[in-house]
Amino acid sequence: MKRAVLVTLLLLSACHRVEQKDTAAEGNGTTTPKPTVKDDGKTLRIFMWSDYIDPQIVKDFEKAHGVNVVIDTYESNEAMIAKLQGGGASYDLANPSNYVVQTMVRAKLLQPLHKEELQNFKNLLPGFVNPNFDPGNEYSIPYQFAATGLAYNSARYSPPQESWNLIFGPEDKVRFALLDDPREVIGAALKYLGYSVNATKPEELRAARDLLRKTVQKKGFESFAGGPEIRNKLLAGRLDLGQIYVGDLLQGAAENDKLHVFIPKEGTTISTDTLVILRGSPNPQLARKFMDYVLQPGVSAAISNYTYYGNPNAKAQALLDPFLKQQPAFNPPAEEFSSGRIEFINELPRGNPPRLYDRIWTDLKSR
């Protein structure tokens, strides 16, 4: 997931629907893409995180509306924004994390939502309405949310404590992987050091940089990777620990009871993934129909039951898989937020802070 554009992270994956497409074109321009495909009123093009919707939900929408849905996927917010700014394709909907929505607004990549046209907008939980990253939900609706935790396979490893210290501490006894995501990795280091995941003070960011430099130089550091890749390596017994989005781990835990995930005692990050209509959308009305469709309680619950990510729909809660309701990390209690132990990743203020994060990430990836 996330924030200022790092075009070196173009990790675009292929379309995961029947109509397979190559989406790996690069681009780092700043112009807003205009439609490059003719709007036939019957094709909806979505650019979203990989493996993030039940294919049956897509098929049901196609059948109900007599349309065709094409989904291309990406593995980071940076890759998504770079692709869109490069003008390599025309999509109707994108799936950015909360803290890049305003970045996309300023880049003139989005068009207003017109939420009055969404009959099911009223189904949302109050905490996801009128968010600080998009006042009045002018441009976005919440899709799914998740905290980030540390995961392990108990057949290989049993953590002696539930702490980031297992990775960031002085010992070098575990084999581990970190998410290929700058805000998550830097945010974890900041939480371990007692700072906010949204820190902007240079001295706090330098402390996180120095800690992470030591961390990636450990013999036990395996790689930066996406959540599904880390989950699969844990399943294969190739890792002791992995930083992971809770939903990605729970997908595996539903099939293998040796997989576990915990929220480190120092705290962690949480973010909301949204749906937005792109300014260059060839078919914005069909995009709004899809948005309203995923806000239906049954559809929204089915998405969470497939992805194992948190659900922002009040009327969908009773329809969630009982397995999910039993997982503390799936939907952390309210006091975890009020205490500051779990923090939403926010957009960084414009100016120097984003550049500092970018420099830290570039430094880490070059080692």
Side-chain angles (χ1 to χ4, degrees), residues 283-302:
N283 204 340
Q285 284 305 113
L286 187 56
R288 290 186 182 90
K289 288 181 180 179
F290 187 81
M291 283 179 145
D292 205 38
Y293 171 70
V294 301
L295 289 174
Q296 294 177 20
V299 174
S300 181

Side-chain angles (χ1 to χ4, degrees), residues 11 13 20 32 43 80 102 124 131 154 167 271 297 321 341 347 353 361:
L11 306 174
S13 62
Q20 301 250 332
T32 302
T43 302
M80 178 267 297
Q102 283 303 314
L124 290 171
S154 61
I167 285 176
S271 61
D321 188 321
R341 181 169 176 251
E347 182 188 29
W361 189 243

Side-chain angles (χ1 to χ4, degrees), residues 1-2 49 52 74 77 94-99 101 128 133 140-146 245 271-275 309 312 344:
M1 304 179 159
K2 325 267 183 182
W49 293 94
Y52 212 20
Y74 55 83
N77 281 299
N95 187 206
S97 300
N98 58 283
Y99 52 87
V101 169
F128 292 91
F133 63 86
S140 69
I141 62 167
Y143 179 73
Q144 301 269 271
F145 71 91
Y245 303 118
S271 61
T272 304
D273 293 321
T274 69
L275 283 177
Y309 274 63
F344 274 95

Side-chain angles (χ1 to χ4, degrees), residues 39-341:
D39 175 17
D40 59 4
K42 296 293 183 180
T43 302
L44 180 69
R45 295 171 175 83
I46 306 175
F47 200 25
M48 72 188 312
W49 293 94
S50 63
D51 198 25
Y52 212 20
I53 191 166
D54 185 343
Q56 187 59 50
I57 290 173
V58 176
K59 292 177 183 177
D60 290 346
F61 180 81
E62 290 176 320
K63 183 177 180 180
H65 294 274
V67 299
N68 182 46
V69 178
V70 177
I71 298 179
D72 293 346
T73 64
Y74 55 83
E75 297 293 344
S76 74
N77 281 299
E78 290 74 30
M80 178 267 297
I81 293 178
K83 172 75 171 184
L84 295 177
Q85 289 185 322
S90 288
Y91 297 106
D92 299 291
L93 290 168
N95 187 206
S97 300
N98 58 283
Y99 52 87
V100 298
V101 169
Q102 283 303 314
T103 299
M104 296 178 76
V105 171
R106 288 194 297 272
K108 302 187 186 303
L109 290 171
L110 305 183
Q111 62 175 278
L113 179 64
H114 299 306
K115 66 177 183 291
E116 65 275 5
E117 298 182 25
L118 305 180
Q119 296 181 4
N120 293 305
F121 185 85
K122 62 183 182 295
N123 295 337
L124 290 171
L125 287 163
F128 292 91
V129 176
N130 192 33
N132 61 4
F133 63 86
D134 183 21
N137 292 92
E138 184 177 0
Y139 294 98
S140 69
I141 62 167
Y143 179 73
Q144 301 269 271
F145 71 91
T148 301
L150 278 177
Y152 62 98
N153 183 335
S154 61
R156 172 185 167 107
Y157 176 74
S158 294
Q161 55 183 320
E162 294 188 348
S163 170
W164 288 115
N165 188 64
L166 297 169
I167 285 176
F168 296 133
E171 294 186 350
D172 190 1
K173 296 182 178 180
V174 298
R175 187 162 180 79
F176 64 95
L178 297 171
L179 284 167
D180 195 2
D181 185 294
R183 290 298 302 273
E184 294 290 358
V185 171
I186 299 171
L190 288 166
K191 289 301 283 186
Y192 175 70
L193 293 169
Y195 304 132
S196 167
V197 300
N198 301 300
T200 58
K201 294 180 179 179
E203 61 271 23
E204 295 177 354
L205 290 170
R206 281 195 293 268
R209 177 202 62 194
D210 293 345
L211 175 64
L212 287 167
R213 281 177 172 173
K214 294 176 183 178
T215 300
V216 300
Q217 290 171 349
K218 288 183 175 182
K219 292 183 293 184
F221 175 63
E222 199 255 7
S223 66
F224 294 105
E229 181 181 349
I230 290 173
R231 178 190 64 221
N232 293 338
K233 288 180 177 180
L234 287 164
L235 279 167
R238 294 170 55 190
L239 294 174
D240 297 315
L241 283 169
Q243 183 190 25
I244 199 166
Y245 303 118
V246 169
D248 286 338
L249 189 282
L250 292 180
Q251 289 178 24
E255 305 297 330
N256 186 329
D257 62 6
K258 299 299 183 182
L259 286 186
H260 305 277
V261 63
F262 61 85
I263 303 298
K265 65 181 183 180
E266 298 88 354
T268 192
T269 60
I270 193 168
S271 61
T272 304
D273 293 321
T274 69
L275 283 177
V276 296
I277 303 176
L278 296 169
R279 186 178 180 188
S281 166
N283 204 340
Q285 284 305 113
L286 187 56
R288 290 186 182 90
K289 288 181 180 179
F290 187 81
M291 283 179 145
D292 205 38
Y293 171 70
V294 301
L295 289 174
Q296 294 177 20
V299 174
S300 181
I303 292 171
S304 286
N305 291 340
Y306 176 82
T307 65
Y308 286 21
Y309 274 63
N311 190 289
N313 192 311
K315 293 188 177 181
Q317 302 303 306
L319 305 175
L320 294 175
D321 188 321
F323 169 78
L324 295 178
K325 297 179 182 180
Q326 297 167 6
Q327 305 300 318
F330 171 73
N331 194 4
E335 54 266 26
E336 296 278 36
F337 298 91
S338 59
S339 68
R341 181 169 176 251

